[in-house]
Amino acid sequence: MPHFPTSWRRWHGALLLAVGLAACTGGTEFAQTTFHPVSDFADALNRVFINTFGWTIGILVLVLVLLVAVLVRFRERPGAPHPRQIHGNTRLEILWTVIPAVIVTFIAVPTVQAVFTTQRRPAADALEIEVIGHQWWWEFRYAAEGVVTANQFYIPVGREVHLRMTSADVIHSFWVPRLGGKRDVMPVPRGAEGVAARANHIVFVASEPGRFRGQCAEYCGEAHAIMALFSVAVSSDEYAAWIESMRDTGAAAAPAEPGPAQGVQSNPVAEGRQIFLSKTCIACHAIANTTARGIIGPNLTRFGSRPTVGAGAAPMSQENVEQWIRSPQSLKAGALMPGAQAAAAGFPPTGLTDDEIRKVAAYLVSLR
Ligand code: CUA
């Protein structure tokens, strides 16, 4: 039993504990881990990583063991003769050329296979979703289904999904590590002929349900760090129900009439709706089945069901939505939405009073 200093033993114990704890929490605490893939795409990438990492660790250990053995075996000793000096060894040279070539083959073949798997053409019945990166949020358009959403999008487990991705301004990068990516989204002038050529694609099949966090992975300006997105994988029934709940039929649904015992003044949600639809909010935002049709900012249909405000700026809550409406830049420096008192990105202040902000926030949070 080798004797190690006490301090080293203590560190050794702490290291083992840390490794053990990391193994316990992996996948739940680290929302953006690549080591718990939930799609064929991410699984293919993870396999390439594990394979390459395994070979390199094996080589590292072998080289270190040989190095230490040689250092010990041929170390200088008082009175010992010089070791035998060798120049050239054809067998050894052939070996250290052939063995790396074989190892590279074992790395290259699965890697090229993964490249083809992750670059495949989508199947004819794949679910098509158009992804558009904006400074600093994500837009998702389900053209065939008539659904538009932002910062959180739903996909059915087990069905092939085809993301067709572009940017409305600068280069962003789409990355939901547990599902796959990352892949840059390139600016394309809206409606230009070049869209088809400039769009990037991700094709994958989600293998288990859950809400998976992603993040823009290409520096894109001031609020790059707060450009999160959430992908929600659900059963095909739940997906169909979600689509139905998001669908814009074009008919502006009438607001719920306040009952006789419940005057307009006592219903902040109905009042907030009225304020939202009569103020400048609708110049930028759309909400399905209302008269709000703006397309500059994020679509707010079922906004309250999103986990965060401002693409990851703060958790979804009445207080945070109020704060966001009052001063988006206080939660997300650089946000292009004007506040109640401050202009932003050329848009004038909304001029909403604190009471109006409270009611509009109540309305938006109620959209679940
Ligand atoms: Cu978008 Cu970084």
Side-chain angles (χ1 to χ4, degrees), residues 264-276 355 359-360:
V264 165
Q265 293 306 315
S266 66
N267 188 342
V269 169
E271 250 190 293
R273 183 184 196 276
Q274 193 53 42
I275 296 164
F276 183 91
D355 186 54
K359 288 166 179 165
V360 169

Side-chain angles (χ1 to χ4, degrees), residues 133-138 169-173 215-221 223-225 227:
H134 295 260
Q135 283 176 318
W136 288 274
W137 57 281
W138 296 95
D169 35 53
V170 300
I171 300 175
H172 303 273
S173 186
Q215 164 70 39
C216 178
E218 172 74 33
Y219 180 70
C220 54
H224 155 72
M227 190 170 165

Side-chain angles (χ1 to χ4, degrees), residues 224-255:
H224 155 72
I226 308 179
M227 190 170 165
L229 70 148
F230 295 86
S231 177
V232 184
V234 292
S235 71
S236 50
D237 286 351
E238 287 168 292
Y239 170 75
W242 179 78
I243 284 290
E244 209 43 56
S245 73
M246 292 292 291
R247 189 167 273 153
D248 192 343
T249 59

Side-chain angles (χ1 to χ4, degrees), residues 16 26 82 92 100-101 127 138-139 210 236 254 298 324 364:
L16 277 183
H82 272 287
L92 205 56
L127 170 62
W138 296 95
E139 181 173 9
S236 50
W324 179 267
L364 294 176

Side-chain angles (χ1 to χ4, degrees), residues 27 140 142 218 229 257 259 277 289 301 303 312 316 334:
F140 302 93
Y142 299 66
E218 172 74 33
L229 70 148
E257 288 297 327
L277 295 177
N289 303 320
T301 305
F303 170 78
M316 178 63 66

